[in-house]
Amino acid sequence: MPTPPTYADVEAAAERIHGHAHRTPVLTSRRVDAEIGASVFFKCENFQRMGAFKFRGAFNALSRFDDEQRRAGVITFSSGNHAQAIALSANILGIPATIVMPHDAPASKLAATRGYGAKIVEYDRYSQDREELGRALATGQGMTLIPPYDHADVIAGQGTATKELIEEVGELDALFVCLGGGGLLSGAALATRALSPACRIYGVEPEAGDDGLRSFRTGSIVHIDTPVTIADGAQTQHLGELTFDIIRREVDDIYTATDDELVDAMRVFATTLKIVVEPTGCLAFAAVRRLASELSGQRVGVIVSGGNVDLDRYVALLSRSDQESVTGSASTPNTKDSLR
Ligand SMILES: *Cc1c(COP(=O)(O)O)cnc(C)c1O
Protein backbone atom coordinates (compact mmCIF):
# COMPACT_ATOMS: atom_id res chain seq x y z
CA MET A 1 0.00 0.00 0.00
CA PRO A 2 1.35 3.49 -0.84
CA THR A 3 1.94 5.86 2.09
CA PRO A 4 -1.38 7.20 3.41
CA PRO A 5 -1.73 10.99 3.41
CA THR A 6 -1.70 13.02 6.63
CA TYR A 7 -3.14 16.38 7.64
CA ALA A 8 0.09 18.04 6.43
CA ASP A 9 -0.88 16.84 2.94
CA VAL A 10 -4.32 18.43 3.33
CA GLU A 11 -2.63 21.73 4.24
CA ALA A 12 -0.32 21.47 1.21
CA ALA A 13 -3.35 20.71 -0.99
CA ALA A 14 -5.15 23.78 0.36
CA GLU A 15 -2.23 25.94 -0.81
CA ARG A 16 -2.14 24.31 -4.26
CA ILE A 17 -5.85 24.73 -4.95
CA HIS A 18 -5.98 28.27 -3.53
CA GLY A 19 -7.08 30.67 -6.26
CA HIS A 20 -8.33 27.79 -8.45
CA ALA A 21 -11.02 26.10 -6.35
CA HIS A 22 -13.85 28.11 -4.82
CA ARG A 23 -13.99 28.53 -1.07
CA THR A 24 -17.61 27.34 -0.97
CA PRO A 25 -20.22 28.87 1.33
CA VAL A 26 -21.41 27.37 4.60
CA LEU A 27 -25.21 27.68 4.82
CA THR A 28 -27.38 27.47 7.90
CA SER A 29 -31.16 27.48 8.29
CA ARG A 30 -33.26 28.22 11.37
CA ARG A 31 -35.95 25.94 10.01
CA VAL A 32 -33.53 23.05 9.65
CA ASP A 33 -32.07 23.72 13.10
CA ALA A 34 -35.59 23.66 14.54
CA GLU A 35 -36.43 20.43 12.70
CA ILE A 36 -33.25 18.66 13.84
CA GLY A 37 -32.97 20.31 17.25
CA ALA A 38 -29.29 21.03 16.59
CA SER A 39 -27.07 23.66 14.93
CA VAL A 40 -26.44 22.34 11.44
CA PHE A 41 -23.70 23.74 9.18
CA PHE A 42 -23.92 22.82 5.49
CA LYS A 43 -20.64 22.98 3.55
CA CYS A 44 -22.01 23.52 0.06
CA GLU A 45 -19.76 21.82 -2.47
CA ASN A 46 -22.61 21.95 -4.97
CA PHE A 47 -21.23 25.47 -5.50
CA GLN A 48 -17.70 24.17 -6.16
CA ARG A 49 -16.24 24.50 -9.69
CA MET A 50 -17.83 21.85 -11.97
CA GLY A 51 -20.45 21.36 -9.27
CA ALA A 52 -18.83 19.00 -6.76
CA PHE A 53 -15.96 18.66 -4.28
CA LYS A 54 -14.06 16.43 -6.70
CA PHE A 55 -12.38 19.44 -8.29
CA ARG A 56 -10.31 19.76 -5.10
CA GLY A 57 -8.70 16.32 -5.27
CA ALA A 58 -8.29 16.31 -9.04
CA PHE A 59 -6.64 19.73 -9.19
CA ASN A 60 -4.35 18.85 -6.30
CA ALA A 61 -3.26 15.60 -7.96
CA LEU A 62 -2.65 17.15 -11.40
CA SER A 63 -0.73 20.11 -9.90
CA ARG A 64 1.89 17.62 -8.74
CA PHE A 65 2.62 16.17 -12.21
CA ASP A 66 6.21 16.57 -13.47
CA ASP A 67 6.96 17.71 -17.03
CA GLU A 68 6.95 14.21 -18.48
CA GLN A 69 3.61 13.35 -16.88
CA ARG A 70 2.14 16.61 -18.14
CA ARG A 71 3.19 15.81 -21.69
CA ALA A 72 1.88 12.20 -21.68
CA GLY A 73 -1.39 13.23 -20.07
CA VAL A 74 -3.82 11.94 -17.45
CA ILE A 75 -6.36 9.13 -17.65
CA THR A 76 -9.14 8.21 -15.24
CA PHE A 77 -12.31 6.19 -14.85
CA SER A 78 -15.37 7.71 -13.21
CA SER A 79 -19.14 7.67 -12.99
CA GLY A 80 -19.18 11.39 -13.63
CA ASN A 81 -18.02 14.06 -11.23
CA HIS A 82 -14.42 12.88 -10.97
CA ALA A 83 -14.31 12.79 -14.77
CA GLN A 84 -15.42 16.40 -14.99
CA ALA A 85 -13.02 17.36 -12.23
CA ILE A 86 -10.05 15.78 -14.02
CA ALA A 87 -11.17 17.21 -17.36
CA LEU A 88 -11.49 20.75 -15.98
CA SER A 89 -8.27 20.59 -13.96
CA ALA A 90 -6.36 19.20 -16.96
CA ASN A 91 -7.81 21.95 -19.12
CA ILE A 92 -6.68 24.64 -16.66
CA LEU A 93 -3.20 23.12 -16.34
CA GLY A 94 -2.78 22.39 -20.08
CA ILE A 95 -2.58 18.59 -19.65
CA PRO A 96 -4.26 16.20 -22.15
CA ALA A 97 -6.99 14.09 -20.48
CA THR A 98 -8.65 10.75 -21.35
CA ILE A 99 -11.73 9.67 -19.40
CA VAL A 100 -13.17 6.13 -19.20
CA MET A 101 -16.89 6.72 -18.56
CA PRO A 102 -20.00 4.54 -18.37
CA HIS A 103 -22.05 4.92 -21.56
CA ASP A 104 -25.18 5.43 -19.43
CA ALA A 105 -23.72 8.28 -17.36
CA PRO A 106 -26.07 11.29 -17.06
CA ALA A 107 -26.08 13.22 -20.33
CA SER A 108 -25.09 16.44 -18.59
CA LYS A 109 -22.01 14.80 -17.13
CA LEU A 110 -20.91 13.31 -20.48
CA ALA A 111 -21.48 16.66 -22.19
CA ALA A 112 -19.64 18.65 -19.52
CA THR A 113 -16.65 16.30 -19.64
CA ARG A 114 -16.46 16.62 -23.43
CA GLY A 115 -16.95 20.36 -23.08
CA TYR A 116 -13.77 20.63 -21.02
CA GLY A 117 -11.86 19.14 -23.95
CA ALA A 118 -11.27 15.62 -22.63
CA LYS A 119 -11.27 12.49 -24.79
CA ILE A 120 -13.97 10.01 -23.64
CA VAL A 121 -13.75 6.19 -23.83
CA GLU A 122 -17.14 4.64 -22.98
CA TYR A 123 -17.74 1.31 -21.17
CA ASP A 124 -20.64 -0.73 -19.82
CA ARG A 125 -20.76 -0.33 -16.05
CA TYR A 126 -22.64 -3.58 -15.47
CA SER A 127 -20.34 -5.86 -17.49
CA GLN A 128 -16.90 -4.25 -17.86
CA ASP A 129 -14.26 -3.55 -15.21
CA ARG A 130 -13.45 0.15 -15.53
CA GLU A 131 -10.31 -0.12 -13.43
CA GLU A 132 -8.84 -2.81 -15.68
CA LEU A 133 -9.75 -0.85 -18.79
CA GLY A 134 -8.24 2.35 -17.36
CA ARG A 135 -5.03 0.61 -16.31
CA ALA A 136 -4.61 -1.08 -19.70
CA LEU A 137 -5.01 2.24 -21.52
CA ALA A 138 -2.66 3.99 -19.08
CA THR A 139 0.12 1.41 -19.50
CA GLY A 140 -0.29 1.31 -23.26
CA GLN A 141 0.04 5.05 -23.73
CA GLY A 142 2.24 6.21 -20.83
CA MET A 143 -0.53 8.27 -19.25
CA THR A 144 -0.77 8.75 -15.48
CA LEU A 145 -3.87 7.18 -13.95
CA ILE A 146 -5.59 9.28 -11.30
CA PRO A 147 -8.32 7.14 -9.75
CA PRO A 148 -11.45 8.74 -8.24
CA TYR A 149 -10.65 8.08 -4.59
CA ASP A 150 -7.81 5.69 -3.76
CA HIS A 151 -4.93 8.13 -4.20
CA ALA A 152 -3.09 10.17 -1.56
CA ASP A 153 -3.28 13.48 -3.49
CA VAL A 154 -6.99 13.00 -4.21
CA ILE A 155 -7.75 12.26 -0.55
CA ALA A 156 -5.69 15.24 0.64
CA GLY A 157 -7.48 17.54 -1.82
CA GLN A 158 -10.93 16.34 -0.72
CA GLY A 159 -9.92 17.02 2.90
CA THR A 160 -9.70 20.75 2.18
CA ALA A 161 -13.52 21.06 2.17
CA THR A 162 -13.71 20.00 5.81
CA LYS A 163 -10.65 22.10 6.69
CA GLU A 164 -12.48 25.17 5.36
CA LEU A 165 -15.70 24.22 7.16
CA ILE A 166 -14.12 23.86 10.60
CA GLU A 167 -11.91 26.92 10.13
CA GLU A 168 -15.03 28.92 9.32
CA VAL A 169 -17.51 27.72 11.95
CA GLY A 170 -15.24 26.35 14.70
CA GLU A 171 -15.19 22.95 16.33
CA LEU A 172 -18.06 20.51 15.77
CA ASP A 173 -19.64 17.71 17.79
CA ALA A 174 -20.41 15.55 14.77
CA LEU A 175 -19.61 15.58 11.06
CA PHE A 176 -21.59 13.67 8.40
CA VAL A 177 -19.99 12.89 5.04
CA CYS A 178 -21.28 10.99 1.98
CA LEU A 179 -19.43 7.77 1.30
CA GLY A 180 -18.72 6.20 -2.07
CA GLY A 181 -15.14 4.99 -2.40
CA GLY A 182 -14.15 7.03 0.64
CA GLY A 183 -11.96 9.82 -0.74
CA LEU A 184 -14.17 12.55 0.68
CA LEU A 185 -14.68 10.79 4.03
CA SER A 186 -11.03 9.89 4.60
CA GLY A 187 -9.90 13.42 3.70
CA ALA A 188 -12.58 14.83 5.99
CA ALA A 189 -11.35 12.56 8.79
CA LEU A 190 -7.77 13.83 8.44
CA ALA A 191 -8.91 17.47 8.66
CA THR A 192 -11.34 16.82 11.50
CA ARG A 193 -8.87 14.94 13.68
CA ALA A 194 -6.44 17.87 13.33
CA LEU A 195 -8.88 20.75 13.77
CA SER A 196 -11.69 19.39 15.95
CA PRO A 197 -10.25 16.26 17.58
CA ALA A 198 -13.29 15.39 19.71
CA CYS A 199 -15.74 15.58 16.79
CA ARG A 200 -17.44 12.29 15.87
CA ILE A 201 -17.09 11.47 12.17
CA TYR A 202 -19.77 9.51 10.28
CA GLY A 203 -19.83 8.20 6.73
CA VAL A 204 -23.19 7.77 4.98
CA GLU A 205 -23.69 5.47 2.00
CA PRO A 206 -26.70 4.29 -0.01
CA GLU A 207 -28.56 1.45 1.68
CA ALA A 208 -28.39 -0.58 -1.55
CA GLY A 209 -24.58 -0.34 -1.49
CA ASP A 210 -23.55 -0.84 2.12
CA ASP A 211 -20.11 -2.29 1.38
CA GLY A 212 -18.47 0.51 3.40
CA LEU A 213 -20.51 -0.32 6.48
CA ARG A 214 -19.78 -4.03 6.10
CA SER A 215 -16.06 -3.35 5.56
CA PHE A 216 -16.02 -1.13 8.64
CA ARG A 217 -17.71 -3.85 10.72
CA THR A 218 -15.66 -6.81 9.48
CA GLY A 219 -12.27 -5.07 9.25
CA SER A 220 -11.56 -5.98 5.64
CA ILE A 221 -12.66 -4.47 2.35
CA VAL A 222 -15.97 -5.94 1.16
CA HIS A 223 -16.66 -6.02 -2.60
CA ILE A 224 -20.24 -5.83 -3.94
CA ASP A 225 -21.94 -5.67 -7.34
CA THR A 226 -22.71 -2.17 -8.63
CA PRO A 227 -25.58 -1.13 -6.36
CA VAL A 228 -28.86 0.07 -7.86
CA THR A 229 -29.54 3.46 -6.27
CA ILE A 230 -30.37 7.01 -7.35
CA ALA A 231 -27.10 8.06 -5.66
CA ASP A 232 -25.03 7.59 -8.82
CA GLY A 233 -21.96 9.25 -7.30
CA ALA A 234 -21.78 6.53 -4.66
CA GLN A 235 -22.32 3.45 -6.86
CA THR A 236 -18.87 2.19 -5.92
CA GLN A 237 -18.21 -1.52 -5.46
CA HIS A 238 -15.60 -1.26 -2.72
CA LEU A 239 -13.53 1.14 -0.62
CA GLY A 240 -9.91 1.81 -1.55
CA GLU A 241 -6.91 0.50 0.36
CA LEU A 242 -5.85 3.98 1.42
CA THR A 243 -9.33 5.26 2.13
CA PHE A 244 -10.24 2.16 4.16
CA ASP A 245 -7.02 2.45 6.17
CA ILE A 246 -7.94 5.99 7.23
CA ILE A 247 -11.67 5.26 7.67
CA ARG A 248 -11.15 2.26 9.97
CA ARG A 249 -8.76 4.30 12.14
CA GLU A 250 -10.52 7.68 12.29
CA VAL A 251 -14.22 7.27 11.50
CA ASP A 252 -16.69 6.60 14.32
CA ASP A 253 -19.44 4.85 12.40
CA ILE A 254 -21.14 4.42 9.06
CA TYR A 255 -24.86 4.83 8.34
CA THR A 256 -26.98 4.23 5.29
CA ALA A 257 -29.84 6.12 3.66
CA THR A 258 -32.60 4.81 1.40
CA ASP A 259 -33.40 6.38 -1.95
CA ASP A 260 -36.67 7.68 -0.49
CA GLU A 261 -34.78 9.43 2.30
CA LEU A 262 -32.46 10.99 -0.28
CA VAL A 263 -35.44 12.41 -2.16
CA ASP A 264 -36.92 13.78 1.07
CA ALA A 265 -33.60 15.48 1.88
CA MET A 266 -33.40 16.81 -1.68
CA ARG A 267 -36.82 18.35 -1.21
CA VAL A 268 -35.75 20.09 2.01
CA PHE A 269 -32.64 21.43 0.24
CA ALA A 270 -34.84 22.80 -2.56
CA THR A 271 -37.60 24.29 -0.45
CA THR A 272 -35.79 25.41 2.71
CA LEU A 273 -32.21 26.14 1.65
CA LYS A 274 -33.15 26.92 -1.98
CA ILE A 275 -30.31 24.84 -3.36
CA VAL A 276 -30.12 22.11 -6.00
CA VAL A 277 -28.36 19.03 -4.62
CA GLU A 278 -27.81 15.80 -6.55
CA PRO A 279 -29.06 12.55 -4.93
CA THR A 280 -25.58 11.51 -3.75
CA GLY A 281 -25.09 14.93 -2.20
CA CYS A 282 -28.13 14.30 0.02
CA LEU A 283 -26.69 11.25 1.82
CA ALA A 284 -25.16 13.06 4.80
CA PHE A 285 -28.20 15.22 5.52
CA ALA A 286 -30.54 12.23 5.13
CA ALA A 287 -28.68 10.49 7.97
CA VAL A 288 -28.79 13.63 10.12
CA ARG A 289 -32.56 13.79 9.67
CA ARG A 290 -32.93 10.15 10.66
CA LEU A 291 -30.67 10.53 13.71
CA ALA A 292 -32.05 13.89 14.85
CA SER A 293 -33.09 12.68 18.29
CA GLU A 294 -29.49 11.68 19.05
CA LEU A 295 -28.02 15.00 17.89
CA SER A 296 -30.07 17.25 20.12
CA GLY A 297 -28.30 20.52 21.03
CA GLN A 298 -25.13 19.59 19.12
CA ARG A 299 -23.07 21.39 16.49
CA VAL A 300 -23.35 19.25 13.38
CA GLY A 301 -21.41 19.59 10.12
CA VAL A 302 -22.89 18.25 6.87
CA ILE A 303 -20.88 18.03 3.68
CA VAL A 304 -23.19 18.68 0.72
CA SER A 305 -21.02 16.98 -1.86
CA GLY A 306 -22.42 18.07 -5.22
CA GLY A 307 -25.23 19.46 -7.33
CA ASN A 308 -24.86 17.82 -10.73
CA VAL A 309 -28.20 16.34 -11.70
CA ASP A 310 -30.00 16.56 -15.05
CA LEU A 311 -32.92 18.95 -14.69
CA ASP A 312 -35.47 16.43 -16.04
CA ARG A 313 -34.31 13.81 -13.59
CA TYR A 314 -34.35 16.31 -10.72
CA VAL A 315 -37.92 17.31 -11.45
CA ALA A 316 -39.01 13.67 -11.85
CA LEU A 317 -37.46 12.71 -8.50
CA LEU A 318 -39.01 15.64 -6.65
CA SER A 319 -42.47 15.23 -8.11
CA ARG A 320 -42.93 11.64 -6.88
CA SER A 321 -45.40 11.43 -4.06
CA ASP A 322 -44.17 10.45 -0.61
CA GLN A 323 -45.94 7.09 -0.86
CA GLU A 324 -44.41 6.15 -4.18
CA SER A 325 -41.00 4.60 -3.66
CA VAL A 326 -38.37 6.03 -5.99
CA THR A 327 -36.73 2.67 -6.63
CA GLY A 328 -39.97 0.81 -7.04
CA SER A 329 -39.45 -1.25 -3.89
CA ALA A 330 -41.55 -0.75 -0.77
CA SER A 331 -40.37 2.19 1.26
CA THR A 332 -38.73 1.34 4.55
CA PRO A 333 -40.23 2.76 7.74
CA ASN A 334 -38.28 5.65 9.14
CA THR A 335 -37.63 4.13 12.52
CA LYS A 336 -34.35 3.88 14.37
CA ASP A 337 -34.48 0.11 14.20
CA SER A 338 -34.08 0.23 10.46
CA LEU A 339 -31.04 2.49 10.81
CA ARG A 340 -28.67 0.14 9.09
C1 LIG B 1 -17.79 11.09 -5.77
C2 LIG B 1 -18.91 11.64 -5.02
C3 LIG B 1 -19.23 11.19 -3.74
C4 LIG B 1 -18.48 10.06 -3.07
O1 LIG B 1 -17.14 10.40 -2.84
P1 LIG B 1 -16.04 9.30 -2.52
O2 LIG B 1 -14.78 10.04 -2.38
O3 LIG B 1 -16.02 8.32 -3.67
O4 LIG B 1 -16.47 8.61 -1.27
C5 LIG B 1 -20.26 11.81 -3.07
N1 LIG B 1 -20.98 12.81 -3.63
C6 LIG B 1 -20.71 13.27 -4.86
C7 LIG B 1 -21.54 14.38 -5.41
C8 LIG B 1 -19.67 12.72 -5.60
O5 LIG B 1 -19.41 13.18 -6.82
Side-chain angles (χ1 to χ4, degrees):
M1 182 170 68
T3 317
T6 64
Y7 181 62
D9 297 309
V10 179
E11 287 180 305
E15 276 172 35
R16 279 184 211 111
I17 68 170
H18 182 79
H20 296 285
H22 294 313
R23 194 181 176 95
T24 51
V26 177
L27 297 188
T28 57
S29 154
R30 289 181 199 205
R31 253 175 79 187
V32 168
D33 286 0
E35 183 206 317
I36 308 295
S39 300
V40 184
F41 302 94
F42 295 98
K43 178 64 171 169
C44 292
E45 287 295 300
N46 53 317
F47 293 125
Q48 187 50 264
R49 290 189 71 172
M50 52 61 56
F53 70 91
K54 288 215 172 67
F55 180 73
R56 297 172 181 271
F59 193 87
N60 184 48
L62 295 198
S63 307
R64 303 199 65 193
F65 275 24
D66 63 24
D67 288 347
E68 204 183 314
Q69 287 177 302
R70 279 173 196 257
R71 263 194 306 275
V74 59
I75 179 165
T76 194
F77 45 83
S78 168
S79 62
N81 284 334
H82 177 66
Q84 288 178 64
I86 289 286
L88 174 58
S89 302
N91 187 305
I92 293 168
L93 294 164
I95 298 171
T98 303
I99 316 286
V100 180
M101 261 180 124
H103 63 79
D104 60 344
S108 61
K109 290 185 179 181
L110 281 163
T113 307
R114 278 203 188 91
Y116 294 129
K119 184 182 159 201
I120 294 181
V121 176
E122 295 188 19
Y123 77 100
D124 174 8
R125 74 164 97 199
Y126 296 99
S127 72
Q128 279 180 293
D129 185 334
R130 64 178 192 174
E131 302 186 23
E132 244 168 55
L133 191 57
R135 283 203 186 90
L137 286 165
T139 326
Q141 302 176 33
M143 295 179 278
T144 302
L145 176 69
I146 300 294
Y149 49 85
D150 206 23
H151 189 286
D153 297 332
V154 171
I155 294 168
Q158 319 306 31
T160 60
T162 299
K163 176 177 184 286
E164 289 173 16
L165 169 64
I166 299 174
E167 283 173 352
E168 183 165 334
V169 307
E171 295 201 25
L172 299 167
D173 297 307
L175 176 70
F176 289 79
V177 183
C178 330
L179 172 59
L184 184 63
L185 177 59
S186 53
L190 295 177
T192 307
R193 284 293 166 256
L195 299 174
S196 183
C199 177
R200 301 185 314 284
I201 306 165
Y202 300 113
V204 187
E205 62 187 350
E207 190 177 82
D210 66 346
D211 60 293
L213 168 63
R214 282 154 57 196
S215 305
F216 189 75
R217 291 273 180 281
T218 60
S220 62
I221 299 172
V222 170
H223 291 244
I224 58 168
D225 290 339
T226 301
V228 178
T229 166
I230 59 170
D232 57 286
Q235 280 184 310
T236 41
Q237 293 173 280
H238 56 86
L239 299 178
E241 271 184 87
L242 286 172
T243 58
F244 181 57
D245 180 64
I246 297 169
I247 289 168
R248 78 200 297 199
R249 274 190 280 125
E250 310 293 0
V251 168
D252 289 272
D253 210 348
I254 293 174
Y255 295 112
T256 62
T258 64
D259 282 0
D260 288 339
E261 288 173 312
L262 296 182
V263 170
D264 287 344
M266 194 187 266
R267 202 173 272 132
V268 176
F269 279 129
T271 56
T272 306
L273 284 128
K274 324 293 182 195
I275 59 175
V276 173
V277 182
E278 64 182 275
T280 318
C282 296
L283 281 163
F285 184 43
V288 166
R289 297 185 77 222
R290 207 199 263 191
L291 290 167
S293 63
E294 293 170 31
L295 298 170
S296 172
Q298 299 188 10
R299 294 168 51 80
V300 179
V302 171
I303 308 287
V304 179
S305 57
N308 291 330
V309 51
D310 285 343
L311 191 56
D312 292 348
R313 181 159 176 262
Y314 184 69
V315 170
L317 287 170
L318 287 185
S319 56
R320 308 244 183 174
S321 74
D322 287 341
Q323 278 71 39
E324 201 183 341
S325 177
V326 290
T327 42
S329 60
S331 101
T332 32
N334 221 353
T335 63
K336 246 191 81 189
D337 291 343
S338 69
L339 237 169
R340 294 178 195 115

